[in-house]
């Protein structure tokens, strides 16, 4: 079984980890305009006239024309305040304030989200109390693992096996949660692993020194030399990698710069290292994981993930 984490106090909710490991918090959003309009009523006893005068004109102006001019003036004020048809950003539910997230252009290469079985479907009442999830600002790389468990399982038993992994990692190893962000079984079914939301950059506990800005994908089984890797596993890992790397614009065939967070990895703490965007666990840590056979399939996984992103 592979995966690594040092337990520690979780940063405040909303913290974003920079490459130096420090956290920053987004500033408070500005208050929204109430959206109401004050109504001014005429004084009692004053009877409105049917015609009015416009300064500089000697003849009375018909009441209909006054009404028309008033509507035009009101329309100009509304359009000026509203930005000529632009709408303020929608407020987050229940806050009454506009969203203030900076605009981000969509990455040119995006892959579709694959079907992912939620953790509630396999964890059930085996969940233990745990701290809040931690997050990074984006995912730049994925690390591929194997779980070092038996291969001859029925895929219908995958939820039970995952509960066993969770119990072992949170019990005997005293981790706060299962280390992997995703687990793929030999039928190609993808399961949500670590808590925090599959669409977010959840900080995992899978690769010592390189848990930040990465996602951990584990193949359920043991894939040492001579043990064939099912094509379903290859395809599923490629699908997750393509999808998770899309928002950061990362080519799965490229190398990326990651910063080692501690000296227990292959690299000194603080070292900036160029690693494959789709890496094996042993690229960042001294281990035999993800096994010789699965390591040999990584070039294929990178190529498939690039195709799913629409790259040539």
């Amino acid at each position: 079984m592979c995966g690594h984490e040092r337990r520690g106090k979780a940063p405040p909710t909303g913290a974003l980890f920079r490459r130096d490991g420090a956290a920053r918090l987004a500033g408070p959003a500005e208050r929204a305009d109430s959206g109401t309009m004050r109504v001014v009523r005429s004084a009692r006893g004053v009877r409105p006239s049917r015609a009015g005068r416009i300064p500089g004109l000697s003849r009375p102006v018909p009441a209909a024309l006054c009404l028309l001019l008033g509507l035009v003036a009101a329309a100009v004020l509304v359009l000026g305040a509203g930005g000529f048809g632009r709408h303020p950003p929608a407020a987050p539910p229940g806050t009454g304030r506009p969203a203030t997230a900076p605009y981000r252009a969509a990455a040119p290469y995006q892959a579709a989200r694959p079907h992912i079985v939620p953790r509630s479907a396999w964890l059930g009442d085996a969940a233990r109390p745990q701290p809040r999830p931690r997050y990074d600002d984006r995912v730049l790389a994925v690390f591929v693992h194997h779980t070092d468990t038996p291969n001859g399982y029925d895929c219908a038993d995958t939820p039970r096996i995952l509960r066993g992994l969770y119990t072992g990692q949170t019990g005997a190893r005293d981790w706060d949660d299962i280390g992997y962000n995703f687990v793929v079984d030999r039928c190609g079914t993808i399961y949500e692993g670590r808590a925090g939301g599959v669409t977010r950059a959840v900080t995992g506990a899978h690769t010592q020194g390189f848990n930040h800005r990465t996602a951990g994908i584990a193949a359920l089984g043991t894939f040492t030399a001579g043990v064939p890797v099912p094509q379903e596993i290859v395809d599923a890992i490629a699908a997750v990698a393509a999808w998770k790397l899309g928002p950061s614009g990362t080519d799965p065939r490229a190398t990326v710069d990651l910063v080692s967070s501690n000296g227990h990895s292959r690299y000194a703490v603080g070292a900036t290292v160029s690693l494959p965007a789709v890496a094996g666990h042993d690229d960042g840590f001294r281990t035999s994981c993800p096994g010789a056979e699965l390591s040999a399939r990584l070039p294929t996984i990178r190529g498939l993930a690039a195709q799913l992103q629409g790259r040539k």
Side-chain angles (χ1 to χ4, degrees):
M1 188 182 303
C2 51
H4 301 276
E5 178 186 66
R6 281 190 170 185
R7 300 186 68 191
K9 185 176 180 181
T13 301
L16 299 179
F17 287 86
R18 300 198 303 268
R19 290 177 64 170
D20 58 4
R24 63 181 178 84
L25 294 176
E30 297 178 356
R31 291 185 59 84
D33 188 277
S34 65
T36 59
M37 179 181 295
R38 297 183 62 186
V39 178
V40 180
R41 292 182 170 84
S42 59
R44 290 186 177 179
V46 179
R47 186 173 181 177
S49 63
R50 294 184 179 274
R53 292 183 179 272
I54 296 178
L57 296 180
S58 58
R59 297 176 63 84
V61 179
L65 181 57
C66 287
L67 177 60
L68 177 61
L69 292 174
L71 290 175
V72 172
V76 171
L77 290 175
V78 170
L79 288 174
F84 291 91
R86 290 181 292 131
H87 296 280
T95 64
R97 298 176 297 179
T100 57
Y103 171 77
R104 293 182 179 179
Y109 296 102
Q110 297 278 355
R113 170 181 169 174
H115 176 70
I116 300 170
V117 178
R119 67 187 260 130
S120 59
W122 60 264
L123 185 56
D125 57 4
R128 298 171 178 237
Q130 61 188 64
R132 291 181 178 179
R134 292 169 290 176
Y135 299 97
D136 292 296
D137 58 344
R138 52 184 166 160
V139 174
L140 292 178
V142 299
F143 279 93
V144 178
H145 307 257
H146 68 178
T147 57
D148 199 19
T149 53
N151 291 11
Y153 56 88
D154 190 308
C155 291
D157 289 335
T158 298
R160 176 186 58 80
I161 298 171
L162 290 179
R163 283 193 296 273
L165 287 172
Y166 172 86
T167 301
Q169 292 184 357
T170 60
R173 296 194 176 194
D174 198 30
W175 295 358
D176 60 353
D177 194 1
I178 191 170
Y180 315 114
N181 299 99
F182 303 93
V183 180
V184 177
D185 71 11
R186 66 188 188 91
C187 293
T189 304
I190 304 166
Y191 290 83
E192 176 187 10
R194 196 167 181 82
V198 295
T199 61
R200 302 189 64 180
V202 179
T203 306
H206 50 85
T207 305
Q208 188 76 270
F210 295 102
N211 288 317
H212 293 297
R213 289 186 166 181
T214 68
I217 309 171
L220 192 62
T222 303
F223 299 100
T224 51
V227 180
V229 181
Q231 185 62 38
E232 290 81 359
I233 284 181
V234 171
D235 293 341
I237 293 176
V240 177
W243 172 58
K244 291 301 289 183
L245 294 176
S248 64
T250 303
D251 187 332
R253 302 164 299 188
T255 58
V256 296
D257 289 341
L258 299 174
V259 179
S260 176
S261 63
N262 64 64
H264 295 286
S265 71
R266 286 186 179 273
Y267 305 94
V269 59
T272 299
V273 186
S274 292
L275 294 175
V278 177
H281 186 183
D282 55 349
D283 285 315
F285 184 74
R286 291 178 178 84
T287 176
S288 61
C289 178
E293 292 296 329
L294 187 50
S295 293
R297 301 301 300 275
L298 291 180
T300 300
I301 291 172
R302 295 177 187 123
L304 288 173
Q307 290 179 21
L308 290 172
Q309 287 186 347
R311 299 179 186 270
K312 295 181 179 179

